[in-house]
Amino acid sequence: MQTLLTHLETSRKAFLEEVAGLTPEQCAAHPSTDAWSILEVVEHIATVEIGILEVFRTRLFAQLCPPEYKVQTEGKD
């Protein structure tokens, strides 16, 4: 699990570094009429990332926690 999280953090950092220096015009430009702009791609990736994290939180991590631990930590960060 830690390997997966490390990979996600590394790839997210690399992605953000790639788009950090772009101008607003570059971000909004469409390479063709049927292609997404960089901004639309970034927005899509952010939306998917949130969805994936929600799946981890609600399904994967919930299954890994023993029920008694879940009760003890309810409402805590």
Side-chain angles (χ1 to χ4, degrees), residues 57 65 69-77:
R57 188 183 70 77
C65 293
Y69 183 75
K70 190 172 181 178
V71 171
Q72 293 171 354
T73 60
E74 191 74 35
K76 298 178 182 176
D77 290 337

Side-chain angles (χ1 to χ4, degrees), residues 5 8 12 46-61:
L5 293 174
L8 290 173
R12 184 175 194 264
T47 301
V48 170
E49 184 179 72
I50 291 168
I52 290 170
L53 291 174
E54 184 63 17
V55 168
F56 281 173
R57 188 183 70 77
T58 60
R59 295 184 186 160
L60 183 61
F61 293 142

Side-chain angles (χ1 to χ4, degrees), residues 3-77:
T3 303
L4 174 61
L5 293 174
T6 300
H7 176 71
L8 290 173
E9 289 173 11
T10 302
S11 62
R12 184 175 194 264
K13 181 180 177 187
F15 174 74
L16 292 174
E17 287 173 357
E18 286 293 323
V19 299
L22 298 175
T23 66
E25 293 78 20
Q26 289 172 315
C27 290
H30 291 262
S32 68
T33 57
D34 62 340
W36 288 9
S37 69
I38 293 171
L39 184 59
E40 290 167 329
V41 171
V42 170
E43 183 178 51
H44 177 72
I45 290 171
T47 301
V48 170
E49 184 179 72
I50 291 168
I52 290 170
L53 291 174
E54 184 63 17
V55 168
F56 281 173
R57 188 183 70 77
T58 60
R59 295 184 186 160
L60 183 61
F61 293 142
Q63 293 173 7
L64 298 176
C65 293
E68 63 275 6
Y69 183 75
K70 190 172 181 178
V71 171
Q72 293 171 354
T73 60
E74 191 74 35
K76 298 178 182 176
D77 290 337

